[in-house]
């Protein structure tokens, strides 16, 4: 019997990466395996996450806002950030979500659209994991169509007063600062909202069967009064939040592949050790066909993600290209998770193995940061020049 190859060897993936990128990937992988994996099944089962402690550890690791420059951020490449997302999601989508919302949504919005005062106040602490951020865009009735949001901000003298509700907000109940988007008489504007501001509350959403090792919340803004300095001065209209969403979607393009890889590696290991009719399950043609097909799609997903990373590092990436990556990675990842479950049989539905946990999590990843249908329409518009959103 020949020596088995890993996916990395089969596709010669390391030949496409710089030594520094491989070192970052391996460091994050080691952290995840040693510090998080031993606990993640229990956190998922109990729907509890020691988020503040974990945020500080992730801050020490340097992955919070790692693709941003200055303000104690690591200033790494987009590709390196993607690889970190991949390794974190190989542990659990909820862990990558914590990092993604912190760095690509909340921190990015302040870094890209904020005033110098806002950046100095929040970014160093957020990079260190000493302050946690969330991003309030989605509403109970407005997900794919954020232009219809009902949350509004009215001027009252020099102040702004915010009223409204946001939904499905990662980190909301534990956040120190919320980047909230609201309708104003001047169009959509962003606000930096300290969560101890009177009128702000963030009840946690319970009874989830997906992303259980993640804090998901509602944001309620009831007469939240903010000074004029709370406005993100450089963000006007939906371009502000949509630019941040593209940052997060890029991370998901890599991240979802991590969940799929963990499922595939688990299935291969299981198939090699599980005997059926007196020989290993991995020796059967049907099993090998399943493994080969999954490896092929996962390898192609890596190649696309790496390619998009290089385009982003050249500052040339387009929203349609990010949609292509997000759509492909998540769609293939959830298919791989489901197929791996069949190889594990009944064992595949237990938390002794990570497969059903990844599959459940990917049900959320499939629809957040843009549903698959919306990304299909984004690609369709690029191909035809016609918008089919309505």
């Amino acid at each position: 019997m020949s020596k088995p190859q890993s996916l990395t060897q089969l596709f010669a993936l390391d030949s496409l990466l710089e030594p520094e990128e491989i070192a970052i990937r391996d460091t994050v992988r080691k952290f995840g395996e040693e510090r998080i994996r031993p606990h993640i099944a229990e956190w998922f089962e109990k729907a509890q996450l020691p988020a503040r402690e974990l945020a500080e550890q992730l801050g020490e690791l340097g992955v919070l806002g790692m693709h941003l420059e200055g303000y104690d951020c690591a200033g790494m490449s987009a590709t390196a950030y993607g690889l970190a997302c991949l390794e974190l999601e190989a542990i659990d989508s909820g862990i990558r979500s914590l990092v993604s919302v912190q760095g690509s949504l909340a921190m990015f919005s302040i870094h890209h659209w904020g005033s110098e005062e806002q950046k100095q106040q929040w970014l160093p602490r957020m990079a260190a994991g000493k302050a946690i951020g969330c991003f309030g865009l989605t509403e109970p009735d407005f997900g794919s169509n954020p232009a219809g949001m009902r949350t509004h901000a009215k001027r009252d003298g020099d102040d702004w007063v915010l009223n409204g509700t946001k939904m499905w907000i990662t980190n909301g109940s534990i956040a120190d600062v919320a980047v909230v988007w609201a309708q104003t008489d001047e169009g959509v504007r962003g606000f930096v909202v300290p969560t101890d501001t009177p009128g702000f509350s963030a009840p946690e959403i319970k009874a989830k069967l997906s992303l259980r090792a993640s804090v998901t919340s509602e944001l309620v803004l009831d007469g939240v009064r903010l000074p004029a300095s709370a406005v993100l001065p450089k963000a006007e209209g939906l371009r502000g939040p949509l630019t941040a969403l593209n940052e997060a979607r890029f991370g998901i393009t890599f991240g979802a592949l991590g969940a799929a890889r963990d499922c595939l590696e688990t299935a291969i290991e299981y198939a090699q050790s599980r005997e059926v009719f007196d020989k290993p399950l991995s020796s059967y043609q049907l099993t090998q066909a399943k493994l080969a097909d999954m490896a092929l799609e996962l390898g192609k997903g890596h190649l696309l993600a790496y390619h998009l990373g290089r385009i982003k590092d050249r500052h040339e990436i387009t929203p349609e290209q990010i949609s292509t990556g997000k759509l492909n990675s998540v769609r293939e990842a959830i298919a791989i998770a489901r197929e791996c479950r069949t190889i594990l049989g009944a064992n595949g539905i237990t938390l002794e193995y990570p497969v059903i946990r990844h599959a459940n999590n990917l049900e959320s990843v499939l629809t957040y940061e843009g549903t698959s249908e919306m990304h299909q329409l984004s690609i369709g518009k690029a191909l035809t020049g016609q918008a089919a959103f309505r």
Side-chain angles (χ1 to χ4, degrees), residues 47-336:
Q48 296 175 350
L49 183 71
R52 289 201 164 273
E53 176 186 348
L54 195 55
E56 292 196 21
Q57 294 175 4
L58 291 164
E60 292 174 5
L61 187 64
V63 299
L64 300 179
M66 63 180 287
H67 58 310
L68 304 178
E69 296 281 351
Y71 307 97
D72 296 339
C73 299
M76 297 293 180
S77 69
T79 302
Y81 169 62
L83 293 168
C85 287
L86 190 154
E87 295 303 331
L88 292 170
E89 194 147 357
I91 303 298
D92 192 83
S93 299
I95 307 303
R96 196 267 310 141
S97 289
L98 189 161
V99 171
S100 182
V101 169
Q102 177 87 342
S104 287
L105 293 180
M107 290 179 70
F108 175 86
S109 295
I110 295 171
H111 188 276
H112 203 68
W113 305 115
S115 66
E116 187 61 30
E117 179 184 1
Q118 290 166 341
K119 295 175 187 179
Q120 295 286 355
Q121 179 181 2
W122 291 109
L123 292 179
R125 286 194 291 149
M126 294 175 80
K130 302 292 186 182
I132 294 176
C134 67
F135 183 86
L137 178 64
T138 299
E139 297 190 356
D141 296 321
F142 295 95
S144 296
N145 178 25
M149 72 176 74
R150 296 193 181 106
T151 298
H152 62 271
K154 299 288 186 183
R155 288 187 183 273
D156 184 13
D158 291 334
D159 293 343
W160 289 89
V161 179
L162 274 64
N163 286 281
T165 304
K166 300 295 182 179
M167 197 69 169
W168 309 116
I169 308 303
T170 298
N171 299 346
S173 304
I174 57 170
D176 301 285
V177 61
V179 175
V180 175
W181 302 92
Q183 297 279 12
T184 75
D185 292 338
E186 306 161 8
V188 173
R189 300 300 303 269
F191 297 84
V192 179
V193 185
T195 58
D196 59 0
T197 305
F200 181 96
S201 61
E204 188 171 354
I205 297 171
K206 302 288 189 179
K208 297 182 300 178
L209 296 180
S210 179
L211 288 181
R212 290 175 61 78
S214 177
V215 177
T216 310
S217 313
E218 181 183 8
L219 303 186
V220 179
L221 302 114
D222 184 9
V224 172
R225 182 174 291 272
L226 299 169
S229 60
V231 178
L232 291 171
K234 301 176 184 177
E236 296 183 8
L238 284 174
R239 181 166 172 259
L242 294 182
T243 301
L245 285 173
N246 275 327
E247 293 293 308
R249 290 163 179 163
F250 172 82
I252 293 170
T253 296
F254 279 79
L257 300 175
R261 187 196 71 199
D262 195 45
C263 290
L264 181 58
E265 289 177 346
T266 300
I268 293 171
E269 182 179 356
Y270 181 88
Q272 289 172 321
S273 62
R274 175 76 159 92
E275 286 202 355
V276 180
F277 298 112
D278 302 321
K279 64 178 184 177
L281 181 59
S282 59
S283 68
Y284 287 91
Q285 290 182 1
L286 283 176
T287 302
Q288 291 197 7
K290 289 181 179 182
L291 297 175
D293 286 347
M294 289 188 288
L296 181 63
E297 294 306 322
L298 186 53
K300 291 190 305 189
H302 276 74
L303 296 176
L304 175 58
Y306 288 13
H307 179 57
L308 293 176
R310 297 304 180 210
I311 297 173
K312 194 171 191 306
D313 281 328
R314 298 197 301 268
H315 307 288
E316 297 173 358
I317 201 163
T318 67
E320 295 81 13
Q321 290 168 333
I322 292 175
S323 285
T324 301
K326 200 269 187 181
L327 174 63
N328 181 73
S329 291
V330 182
R331 190 161 62 184
E332 296 306 324
I334 198 167
I336 288 169

Side-chain angles (χ1 to χ4, degrees), residues 28-38 91 261-262:
V28 177
R29 182 181 299 182
K30 184 173 186 290
F31 172 87
E33 292 294 335
E34 294 180 355
R35 307 285 286 275
I36 305 178
R37 191 178 290 280
I91 303 298
R261 187 196 71 199
D262 195 45

